[in-house]
Amino acid sequence: ESLRQDATLLSRMLYEEGLLALPPNEVEARLEGQAKQQIMMLRNIHEQLKKEADSIQILQAHALTEGNAQDLPIYLAGDPGKKGAIAKRANLAIFTEGEKIPYEPQGSGRLEFANSITSEENPLTARVMVNRIRAGHFGKGLVGTLSNFGTLGDRPTHPPLLDYLAVEFMKNNWSMKHIHKLIVTSHTYRQSSVTTKEHLKKDPANRLYARAPRVRMSAEMIRDSALATSGLLEPKMFGPPVYPPQPEGIWRHVGRNAPKFLPSKNENRFRRAVYVVWRRGAPYASFVNFDAPDRGACVVDRARTNTPLQALTLLNDQAFVEMSLAFAARILQEPKLVNDEQRIQFAFRVALARNAKQVEVDYLKVLLRKRENQLIKSPKTIDSLLSEAKWVPFKTNNQEGIAKWF
């Protein structure tokens, strides 16, 4: 240890700005033979290591360090100048059946607070979490007010089930995967969503879960589902945000350093919604149309609306136009489909996970004939349409067929 300290001291004195430091290359000039070669070799290695160290990007994150914990006085009527009795730091009494247990005097109390929140003696945390998970699958929770389990919140429709899920959650090491699997493999979830007159008469809101829920997908799921259906979905994971196409002018900014939205021109254009760039002042347009929040504040339960703007988004938004053209190409490139009826059935199975009814097949065959006649009369429509999808990697050259099935 003493030798190491001496070497460190000598290094500080001889190198860089030390008291005995020599000008650059002066050491080599005063040496000869093997010693000189060794010094030059070590200096080159040192320079190379410095360059490599400078090129390394070290990820940094904010960290929290413990301060000096102290008990503070109560400010009477909220006035810092009027101090009352000292308020001893302790856990919330609700966690321990009304008994306040003081925190350790040396610590901040955060660890004790976290342990109290996740204690098996405090089922509130587990109940809230499993209620939100279940709401994601069924469209509503066992407690209707997802963010309010207090006296002003809704009463649970099935209290024993809520308790059962909460206990399962805690017993399985707070595994959300376990709860998701438990719910989706249950008989209740796997019921048919077909609604009968008897259902509407006895339980129109489906509070008793006699049928499966019918819930519209979220904004992000709509995009991902459309990409998967079209065959464009890029499975690549991780990396910086991506920029799929959106209407121009949304990121318009007054003043200097205006941010620019430049749509991706490679596979990033078709990646999952979780990677789409998010700007709180101007969120991705199609997400907003399907009720995605702007992330300016925490939203526990998204609203679900049905508006004409949503239909227009699916019809005219450039991203969905590209997906529709890609889906048309996917239908045409299936080698086993020999006529339009088979192609219609294939499209229904891929997009809707069911077979088409005969009345639907007949209607769509008429629609396809009308579309084909329109393209014969106006062939320029084909070029105009396909110009909207110059970044789509088509695997078929049948442009007339793509325009027909679009």
Side-chain angles (χ1 to χ4, degrees):
E1 178 65 22
S2 62
L3 287 175
R4 187 182 67 81
Q5 293 177 353
D6 291 344
T8 302
L9 179 61
L10 184 60
S11 175
R12 290 177 178 175
M13 293 179 66
L14 293 176
Y15 292 101
E16 296 180 356
E17 298 181 0
L19 294 174
L20 304 179
L22 295 173
N25 302 322
E26 184 69 20
V27 176
E28 292 90 326
R30 299 189 180 205
L31 295 175
E32 296 181 352
Q34 186 176 359
K36 180 177 181 179
Q37 293 178 357
Q38 190 172 7
I39 287 291
M40 293 177 65
M41 182 185 69
L42 291 173
R43 190 181 293 279
N44 290 335
I45 293 174
H46 180 251
E47 292 297 327
Q48 182 63 29
L49 290 174
K50 283 178 65 177
K51 291 180 180 179
E52 293 178 1
D54 292 338
S55 64
I56 296 175
Q57 295 183 351
I58 300 176
L59 298 178
Q60 297 181 346
H62 291 289
L64 189 65
T65 57
E66 293 285 358
N68 296 322
Q70 56 180 320
D71 297 326
L72 299 175
I74 298 173
Y75 295 154
L76 301 178
D79 185 356
K82 298 179 180 179
K83 298 179 180 180
I86 297 295
K88 296 289 185 180
R89 293 177 300 111
N91 68 298
L92 296 177
I94 192 175
F95 291 148
T96 49
E97 299 181 354
E99 180 185 1
K100 281 196 172 184
I101 301 176
Y103 289 155
E104 292 292 331
Q106 295 83 8
S108 65
R110 286 195 299 273
L111 177 60
E112 292 89 340
F113 182 62
N115 288 333
S116 298
I117 291 175
T118 57
S119 170
E120 292 187 357
E121 302 298 323
N122 167 42
L124 178 62
T125 306
R127 283 173 176 161
V128 171
M129 192 63 209
V130 298
N131 188 60
R132 293 187 183 183
I133 292 175
R134 199 173 189 279
H137 291 291
F138 285 89
K140 58 183 177 181
L142 295 170
V143 176
T145 50
L146 301 185
S147 59
N148 190 345
F149 269 56
T151 56
L152 298 180
D154 294 344
R155 300 289 296 173
T157 56
H158 299 69
L161 177 57
L162 182 63
D163 289 343
Y164 168 74
L165 291 174
V167 171
E168 278 289 309
F169 192 35
M170 291 187 286
K171 279 173 53 180
N172 289 275
N173 199 28
W174 300 80
S175 170
M176 290 190 287
K177 181 178 180 180
H178 174 74
I179 299 299
H180 282 295
K181 183 177 180 180
L182 187 65
I183 291 173
V184 299
T185 56
S186 67
H187 172 73
T188 306
Y189 182 80
R190 292 184 294 165
Q191 294 180 110
S192 170
S193 61
V194 175
T195 304
T196 65
K197 293 181 179 179
E198 186 178 2
H199 288 152
L200 294 175
K201 181 180 179 180
K202 292 184 177 181
D203 185 19
N206 198 26
R207 291 173 61 86
L208 301 178
Y209 300 102
R211 58 189 183 275
R214 301 178 68 177
V215 183
R216 195 201 70 203
M217 290 188 291
S218 65
E220 294 86 349
M221 291 172 64
I222 290 172
R223 170 182 165 80
D224 291 350
S225 175
L227 283 171
T229 300
S230 68
L232 291 175
L233 183 63
E234 169 57 49
K236 185 171 70 174
M237 298 176 66
F238 313 118
V242 298
Y243 293 76
Q246 71 170 3
E248 295 182 1
I250 292 179
W251 275 33
R252 186 174 56 191
H253 179 78
V254 177
R256 299 180 180 179
N257 303 322
K260 295 182 179 179
F261 190 101
L262 302 176
S264 303
K265 299 179 180 180
N266 51 21
E267 69 277 2
N268 287 334
R269 195 180 184 92
F270 310 115
R271 291 181 65 188
R272 290 173 54 208
V274 69
Y275 298 109
V276 173
V277 66
W278 200 281
R279 183 183 173 204
R280 280 182 290 183
Y284 189 56
S286 70
F287 290 174
V288 175
N289 292 344
F290 285 98
D291 306 315
D294 62 5
R295 300 191 186 182
C298 178
V299 176
V300 177
D301 188 21
R302 293 187 184 184
R304 290 189 183 93
T305 61
N306 290 294
T307 67
L309 192 58
Q310 294 167 355
L312 290 171
T313 299
L314 297 178
L315 285 171
N316 300 322
D317 187 279
Q318 185 178 351
F320 286 99
V321 168
E322 293 176 352
M323 297 176 207
S324 300
L325 289 168
F327 187 36
R330 180 182 178 184
I331 294 170
L332 292 172
Q333 70 191 34
E334 283 293 321
K336 296 181 180 180
L337 307 178
V338 297
N339 55 49
D340 286 347
E341 183 166 346
Q342 291 182 357
R343 295 187 183 100
I344 290 171
Q345 291 289 359
F346 171 79
F348 264 73
R349 288 194 297 272
V350 172
L352 303 177
R354 68 173 177 86
N355 289 321
K357 300 175 183 177
Q358 190 57 47
V359 64
E360 294 170 329
V361 173
D362 295 340
Y363 177 81
L364 290 175
K365 287 170 69 174
V366 172
L367 196 63
L368 284 170
R369 284 195 293 270
K370 288 183 179 179
R371 177 65 172 170
E372 189 173 18
N373 292 332
Q374 289 175 353
L375 295 175
I376 292 173
K377 294 178 181 178
S378 179
K380 293 183 179 180
T381 304
I382 300 174
D383 295 334
S384 175
L385 182 60
L386 293 178
S387 67
E388 297 287 333
K390 55 184 177 182
W391 305 112
V392 176
F394 292 120
K395 295 180 181 179
T396 177
N397 294 323
N398 186 356
Q399 295 186 351
E400 294 81 5
I402 293 175
K404 170 186 172 180
W405 280 87
F406 168 70

